[in-house]
Amino acid sequence: MKAQFIEIPLTKNEDKQRFELTYEGHIAFIDYKETSSTIALIHTEAPAALSGTGAAAALVEKTLNFIKESGKTVSPYCPYVYAFILKNPEWKTLVSPRFPKYDELMNDAKA
């Protein structure tokens, strides 16, 4: 995570069912669905103004940390989150075995 994002808090917006990170007046977010044991990450979106800043990656990392600290697992339905986990295999331990592409993710040669 880039240094400028370390101190920026992650917001869990339960009304909109999304995790949010606000940077330079813009909001990047990840839509989620939650059960008692798993948080499914559905869609990540960052405004064009944040393109190339690392905001989306910081948002994903902060969200995964939140899920880890909550004692839940993650189902990375969002392609961006899935790709992030492939690039950062230390997060694979957080993926729910019930996630439909679990075996594919765990056995990916890149990781």
Side-chain angles (χ1 to χ4, degrees):
M1 178 181 327
K2 291 184 177 180
Q4 68 262 33
F5 297 106
I6 292 172
E7 297 300 321
I8 297 175
L10 177 73
T11 302
K12 184 180 182 190
N13 184 331
E14 293 185 11
D15 290 337
K16 293 185 177 180
Q17 289 197 331
R18 66 188 200 179
F19 291 97
E20 301 172 341
L21 183 131
T22 302
Y23 181 66
E24 295 183 346
H26 302 281
I27 298 174
F29 63 88
I30 301 175
D31 292 323
Y32 72 87
K33 300 288 183 199
E34 187 171 11
T35 68
S36 61
S37 61
T38 302
I39 297 179
L41 301 178
I42 310 299
H43 172 74
T44 302
E45 192 169 316
L50 297 181
S51 181
T53 64
L59 170 63
V60 172
E61 188 171 345
K62 286 175 176 282
T63 299
L64 292 174
N65 272 315
F66 176 91
I67 294 169
K68 182 178 180 181
E69 290 169 7
S70 73
K72 296 189 176 197
T73 58
V74 66
S75 289
Y77 289 97
C78 170
Y80 185 85
V81 175
Y82 186 95
F84 183 91
I85 293 171
L86 278 179
K87 291 178 189 172
N88 301 277
E90 66 272 18
W91 292 108
K92 285 185 174 186
T93 59
L94 197 59
V95 176
S96 170
R98 293 182 180 177
F99 175 59
K101 292 187 176 182
Y102 178 83
D103 290 336
E104 180 182 320
L105 182 61
M106 294 303 141
N107 296 317
D108 190 278
K110 296 175 195 166

